[in-house]
Amino acid sequence: MLHRRVIVDHYGGPEELRVVEEECPEPQEGEVRVRVLAAGVSLPDVMMREGIHPETPTLPFTPGWDLVGVVERLGAGVSGIETGRIVAALPIHGAYAEYVCLPKDELVPVPAGVDPAEAVSLVLNYVTAYQMLHHSAKVRPGQRALIHGAAGGVGSALLQLGRVAGLEMYGTCSARGAAAVSDLGGIPIDYQKQDFVEEIRRRTGDGVDVVFDGIGGSHMWRSRKALRRGGRVVVYGLTSSLRGGRLASGRGGQRHRFHFLPVYALTIAGGWLLPGRKRMVPYSIQWLKRRNPDRFRQDLTAVLDLLQQQKIKPLIAQRLPLADARRAQELLGQGGVNGKIVLLRDDRSGAA
Ligand SMILES: NC(=O)c1ccc[n+]([C@@H]2O[C@H](COP(=O)([O-])OP(=O)(O)OC[C@H]3O[C@@H](n4cnc5c(N)ncnc54)[C@H](OP(=O)(O)O)[C@@H]3O)[C@@H](O)[C@H]2O)c1
């Protein structure tokens, strides 16, 4: 049986994404073959295509951090899961495909009746948001939070889960995202026209308890200025390194991953040394998942339960067929996308 997947065989712009048709993968011992129903599109996918994300695989590779699909075939020795079950996974790369084979332990059951596009929006973005809120920041009801990029994938997840946690929330966004931020319970701050540090001081007096900063670079130090004494900045991304879906560093065709460890070490040390008892806390979903896979499963199950109970409703910016992966990444790289772009299986063949 043939299937299609998207591959990157040179690091670079969106034009490097190509759809290939090839033999469907067979599950090896301990693996399960999953028919992918929905794959998420995220900035880390774009950064891997550019070759700058710390997790960038060697070439050629198939992008796609997260997926929801149907268990379709079991490899030798696999038990405790049945065909037809809907599951979610965070393979980190490989999800832009019609079929993938994954170790059984990577799969988390998805409750019946949930929309696959909404469910896939939870795997990377909502688990990231949930773990930052509850493990990195340990938020309590009534605390104040500043969320950068609040209309984006992770930002809108932070707003929804922050509302469930009872936070008072401020969210930076461009003018295009202001209505979405208000709808999700945040007070929008236009990062292109306003100084967010001044705005937070004006509105709160002494600052916020926590800032979620996925923008990175020198922006983190400005975020620290928006904190009240004893607060913390959770640092988790480098959105500032990409514009227009193009190469950030200008060195096309090579893998030149950012080295986060020295940057994070300096950030943590700087946070402690400067006055004000303000901490900088780095977060990485992949580090946490590798160190504590059970916690990842528990947290993904917790957000899937919130979805089933209709306590959260992911913002889906666009639903596109898998073959439009290039367009999806162009859109995300250009900015102004509210919520998550999802690639859906297009049943051109009706393959089972
Ligand atoms: N550490 C982890 O485990 C982890 C996990 C997931 C994601 N991430 C990181 O999280 C970041 C966000 O990912 P995403 O998928 O949510 O991206 P996204 O959906 O593209 O959202 C990014 C948002 O940031 C906004 N933005 C851009 N520049 C800004 C600025 N200077 N100030 C405030 N907002 C700004 C954009 O708004 P406009 O487009 O309107 O300008 C956009 O809404 C990325 O750096 C990604 O690598 C990290």
Side-chain angles (χ1 to χ4, degrees):
M1 181 171 70
L2 293 178
H3 89 134
R4 290 181 304 170
R5 68 180 175 116
V6 176
I7 61 163
V8 174
D9 47 22
H10 293 101
Y11 301 117
E15 67 284 354
E16 301 297 348
L17 293 168
R18 216 157 50 79
V19 180
V20 294
E21 191 163 62
E22 60 186 23
E23 262 321 298
C24 205
E26 283 304 320
Q28 304 301 304
E29 191 171 346
E31 286 187 342
V32 169
R33 184 160 80 196
V34 174
R35 178 160 52 93
V36 179
L37 299 174
V41 179
S42 64
L43 269 191
D45 292 339
V46 174
M47 295 167 85
M48 279 187 177
R49 189 202 67 220
E50 305 282 7
I52 59 175
H53 194 280
E55 295 290 325
T56 304
T58 51
L59 297 168
F61 73 95
T62 292
W65 275 64
D66 45 2
L67 65 88
V68 163
V70 188
V71 172
E72 199 253 348
R73 178 174 289 197
L74 308 183
V78 174
S79 60
I81 194 162
E82 68 283 8
T83 55
R85 190 84 175 84
I86 308 281
V87 290
L90 182 84
I92 298 183
H93 60 89
Y96 291 15
E98 289 181 325
Y99 290 90
V100 293
C101 291
L102 292 169
K104 184 221 157 197
D105 291 348
E106 291 279 316
L107 307 177
V108 174
V110 172
V114 164
D115 172 14
E118 291 189 351
V120 83
S121 303
L122 306 190
V123 183
L124 174 61
N125 292 348
Y126 279 69
V127 173
T128 294
Y130 187 90
Q131 296 194 325
M132 291 196 296
L133 284 161
H134 297 291
H135 306 318
S136 310
K138 300 184 171 56
V139 294
R140 295 186 306 278
Q143 285 190 321
R144 286 187 204 129
L146 170 62
I147 295 162
H148 290 300
V154 178
S156 60
L158 279 163
L159 282 173
Q160 291 205 355
L161 293 172
R163 179 141 74 177
V164 174
L167 301 183
E168 175 185 322
M169 298 179 295
Y170 300 85
T172 60
C173 55
S174 61
R176 293 173 291 196
V181 171
S182 304
D183 288 349
L184 296 175
I187 297 171
I189 300 175
D190 185 337
Y191 76 85
Q192 289 166 335
K193 297 205 180 93
Q194 291 171 293
D195 179 318
F196 72 83
V197 180
E198 279 174 19
E199 200 49 26
I200 287 292
R201 293 278 160 207
R202 186 180 72 75
R203 287 173 176 271
T204 66
D206 61 342
V208 295
D209 297 285
V210 57
V211 182
F212 297 97
D213 191 325
I215 309 298
S218 57
H219 199 268
M220 300 184 291
W221 299 103
R222 299 201 49 242
S223 291
R224 192 176 180 279
K225 292 189 176 157
L227 287 180
R228 59 167 33 148
R229 194 175 163 77
R232 48 180 74 179
V233 181
V234 183
V235 181
Y236 71 98
L238 278 170
T239 298
S240 55
S241 63
L242 277 174
R243 267 292 157 257
R246 300 298 314 174
L247 274 173
S249 68
R251 289 199 290 140
Q254 294 168 32
R255 187 159 69 143
H256 40 86
R257 299 177 295 170
F258 284 121
H259 294 291
F260 280 95
L261 277 177
V263 176
Y264 279 162
L266 274 173
T267 310
I268 297 168
W272 277 110
L273 292 175
L274 292 168
R277 300 182 56 79
K278 299 174 180 178
R279 288 179 59 193
M280 309 284 263
V281 184
Y283 169 81
S284 156
I285 193 170
Q286 64 272 18
W287 291 354
L288 206 61
K289 182 180 169 230
R290 285 184 191 123
R291 216 179 58 214
N292 194 342
D294 289 344
R295 176 174 274 187
F296 172 79
R297 297 172 66 85
Q298 282 160 16
D299 292 341
L300 177 51
T301 304
V303 291
L304 284 165
D305 287 347
L306 288 173
L307 177 64
Q308 198 188 26
Q309 294 159 22
Q310 300 183 354
K311 291 193 176 149
I312 54 174
K313 173 108 185 126
L315 271 189
I316 311 285
Q318 294 246 15
R319 296 168 191 249
L320 296 170
L322 175 67
D324 281 356
R326 172 179 172 172
R327 190 163 149 247
Q329 289 204 357
E330 276 168 357
L331 288 170
L332 197 65
Q334 283 157 11
V337 171
N338 294 339
K340 181 92 173 170
I341 301 180
V342 179
L343 296 174
L344 295 175
R345 180 183 181 80
D346 45 340
D347 267 322
R348 80 210 141 108
S349 57

